[in-house]
Amino acid sequence: MGRYKGLPEPVGATEERIGVLLVNLGTPEAPTYGAVRRYLAQRVFRAVLIERTPRPHQPNPVDCLAEALAAGESLILFPEGTRNLDDGLLPFKSGIFHLAKRQPQAEFVPVWIENLGRVMPKGALLPAPLLCTLSFGPPLRLAPEETKTQFLARANAALLALAPAD
Amino acid sequence: MEPQDSLLTILGAVFAVLAVASLIGALLKRRISPRAPHGTLDNLNARLMAWWVMIALLALAFWAGKPGVVGLFAFVSFQCLREYISLTHTRRGDHRALCWCFFFFLPLQYYLVAVDWYGVFSILIPVYAFLLLPISASLGRDTTHFLERAAKVQWGLMICVYCVSHVPALMTLAIPGYDGRNVLLILFLVLVVQSSDVFQYLWGKLLGRHKLAPAISPSKTVEGLVGGVLSSTALGAGLWWITPFNPWQAALIALLTSVLGFFGGFVLSAIKRDRGIKDWGSLIEGHGGMLDRVDSLSFSAPVFFHVVRYWWTP
């Protein structure tokens, strides 16, 4: 999991990012997201398509992610679940906990991306060509008796520990 | 001597010095520490390797003529500005101002060099960017540290773009009796300033005892500064024949640019210290970032440009 200002951050997929990008992609109601975006999502980023708010007959997003992990893939998730517009870290969405519950052997590697929010803040048309720095932390695993609150807090702290001093 | 011959002679000499230095570096490495890593020696060899690449790029730009020189320094500015802004605290509200810097003011400044429009070149960033960037930032509706952010962006643009653009601008000076040789002025400036850095490093390593200002730069010593500035002044005087200057003028100008170059590195070290970093980036192995390499050039280029423009052009 990771975070940067602006766009949400990695490990796992953010519900938000994947949702916005992908659900619109595949649906006929949104023809404006034409071939280029579909190509980027499917061929370049190899995104896992999930529903933001699945109806009963539709697949559960966590199932889709767990399936990809079980197939030996790695996922990039943005556990804040949205674009963070401020300094610091937003509380994590519970998706990574449910995913960890389903795939307890999965390792969650915290990644802090410094500067990405300044490169392309929400609503910006052009990216500012700044240098970004990735900091990787030691991987986390869900402990046997760990509760949702505990795991999310631990993951949040692991990520914050990678933030630069100022 | 024809300008091409002078250029080839000097560049040939530089490559010869580099070859000797690289040979010594390799021998020292083999003698002292053939297998285990050795901090100073490995860094020295990495620096030498990077010098090969930098001098080769400079030679290539000279060979391509004015477009090559303008293009090379536009790239240098771009990379410096990236490094500077990446390590400077700006906020989301500054994004539009940053895009103006990278995609408008930087290319326009170098375009003005290319078309030789001195009137606008000299005021574009100090006047127009100075007024327009805070307007753009204020439209971001974020007042947190506003003055500080506006000042940082303007400062970065001045150091990385405005000052550095005075190097290729030397191509535009019309010096009587010096037609077609302006590229040699750039070579003179770059050699004096960069050799001053190298000489300071060497004298500092050999004789350095008294730290100059440990709070700002732990590696700078009084011996390094004096030895470095004197050595590069002597080098500049020895290069008088590629310039429109006589030997003592060349020595004085080399002294001035070396001292300014020293303070360029010194001032940017103070900023790095304040930000808690050692280097601006990691583009050039052994040296750090682009801005670590051209900080001295940035401070000396505008003054060198104005000295030549005031006293040597009609």
Side-chain angles (χ1 to χ4, degrees):
Chain A
M1 90 217 74
R3 65 77 49 188
Y4 47 87
K5 273 176 260 169
L7 293 172
E9 340 273 85
V11 168
T14 70
E15 291 85 334
E16 169 86 20
R17 188 175 160 82
I18 299 291
V20 170
L21 189 65
L22 302 179
V23 171
N24 287 344
L25 263 182
T27 50
E29 305 90 88
T32 47
Y33 291 104
V36 174
R37 287 196 185 196
R38 186 172 298 125
Y39 173 80
L40 285 176
Q42 294 178 347
R43 294 294 155 110
V44 180
F45 298 116
R46 303 187 59 228
V48 178
L49 302 178
I50 57 174
E51 294 291 339
R52 274 189 96 174
T53 43
R55 272 160 286 184
H57 67 276
Q58 287 174 322
N60 179 327
V62 176
D63 290 342
C64 304
L65 298 179
E67 210 172 284
L69 280 184
E73 302 283 352
S74 296
L75 294 173
I76 296 174
L77 299 168
F78 296 84
E80 286 174 287
T82 183
R83 286 199 192 198
N84 185 348
L85 299 180
D86 286 305
D87 296 328
L89 206 49
L90 296 174
F92 287 178
K93 304 280 186 192
S94 58
I96 56 167
F97 171 75
H98 296 301
L99 184 59
K101 205 80 187 153
R102 290 285 303 277
Q103 296 280 336
Q105 84 289 359
E107 286 187 328
F108 290 76
V109 181
V111 185
W112 184 281
I113 309 182
E114 183 65 11
N115 270 349
L116 202 50
R118 290 206 287 149
V119 168
M120 194 90 187
K122 202 168 191 165
L125 291 176
L126 280 175
L130 305 183
L131 305 163
C132 296
T133 312
L134 298 178
S135 309
F136 293 84
L140 305 175
R141 230 176 241 200
L142 182 66
E145 300 295 310
E146 206 166 19
T147 65
K148 184 171 97 180
T149 324
Q150 284 168 337
F151 180 69
L152 293 182
R154 191 157 66 94
N156 202 300
L159 201 46
L160 269 183
L162 301 174
D166 55 21
Chain B
M1 219 188 272
E2 286 297 301
Q4 278 78 9
D5 297 336
S6 310
L7 197 59
L8 281 179
T9 311
I10 306 282
L11 286 174
V14 171
F15 278 120
V17 169
L18 265 183
V20 171
S22 300
L23 194 67
I24 295 175
L27 286 178
L28 279 176
K29 172 78 182 161
R30 238 172 81 179
R31 176 75 58 85
I32 295 172
S33 160
R35 269 170 217 92
H38 184 289
T40 309
L41 273 184
D42 290 342
N43 178 260
L44 178 75
N45 287 332
R47 278 170 183 254
L48 283 168
M49 206 55 210
W51 274 119
W52 282 102
V53 178
M54 289 188 284
I55 303 280
L57 281 176
L58 200 63
L60 206 65
F62 286 160
W63 175 74
K66 192 174 170 187
V69 174
V70 172
L72 175 68
F73 283 93
F75 167 73
V76 168
S77 280
F78 179 77
Q79 185 61 29
C80 287
L81 193 60
R82 287 181 80 184
E83 292 173 357
Y84 173 90
I85 299 286
S86 297
L87 289 170
T88 310
H89 256 237
T90 60
R91 292 167 60 85
R92 274 186 311 116
D94 297 312
H95 184 265
R96 208 167 297 168
L98 294 181
C99 285
W100 279 103
C101 290
F102 281 107
F103 301 124
F104 181 75
F105 286 111
L106 191 156
L108 183 56
Q109 178 74 4
Y110 280 91
Y111 171 75
L112 293 170
V113 176
V115 300
D116 193 2
W117 191 351
Y118 178 74
V120 183
F121 162 84
S122 59
I123 57 167
L124 176 73
I125 290 172
V127 178
Y128 291 97
F130 177 74
L131 297 176
L132 291 176
L133 290 177
I135 293 177
S136 169
S138 69
L139 295 175
R141 292 190 189 83
D142 178 3
T143 56
T144 315
H145 301 304
F146 187 84
L147 178 59
E148 202 183 315
R149 284 157 41 209
K152 281 171 174 169
V153 173
Q154 178 68 19
W155 214 83
L157 207 52
M158 286 296 289
I159 290 293
C160 302
V161 182
Y162 184 72
C163 289
V164 173
S165 70
H166 283 75
V167 180
L170 289 167
M171 298 288 279
T172 64
L173 294 176
I175 303 165
Y178 197 67
D179 299 332
R181 289 167 187 259
N182 287 36
V183 76
L184 294 172
L185 269 183
I186 297 182
L187 190 61
F188 176 82
L189 174 68
V190 171
L191 280 182
V192 167
V193 173
Q194 298 293 347
S195 76
S196 170
D197 284 1
V198 174
F199 284 132
Q200 283 176 42
Y201 170 88
L202 289 177
W203 285 114
K205 290 269 177 224
L206 289 173
L207 299 178
R209 297 283 177 281
H210 303 90
K211 292 215 183 295
L212 198 68
I216 291 181
S217 178
S219 60
K220 287 193 167 52
T221 61
V222 180
E223 293 83 355
L225 171 62
V226 174
V229 168
L230 290 182
S231 308
S232 59
T233 302
L235 178 80
L239 287 173
W240 70 274
W241 53 277
I242 64 165
T243 69
F245 322 134
N246 66 32
W248 67 266
Q249 288 167 335
L252 272 184
I253 290 172
L255 177 67
L256 178 70
T257 46
S258 302
V259 170
L260 278 163
F262 166 78
F263 281 110
F266 203 58
V267 169
L268 289 199
S269 282
I271 300 173
K272 286 189 280 189
R273 256 307 121 102
D274 179 41
R275 299 285 302 116
I277 51 170
K278 189 181 155 289
D279 291 325
W280 286 104
S282 53
L283 181 76
I284 313 173
E285 206 191 338
H287 296 258
M290 181 71 86
L291 193 49
D292 293 290
R293 199 55 275 140
V294 302
D295 49 9
S296 44
L297 201 56
S298 167
F299 270 58
S300 49
V303 178
F304 180 75
F305 177 89
H306 288 128
V307 166
V308 178
R309 186 166 188 276
Y310 188 82
W311 277 292
W312 274 271
T313 64

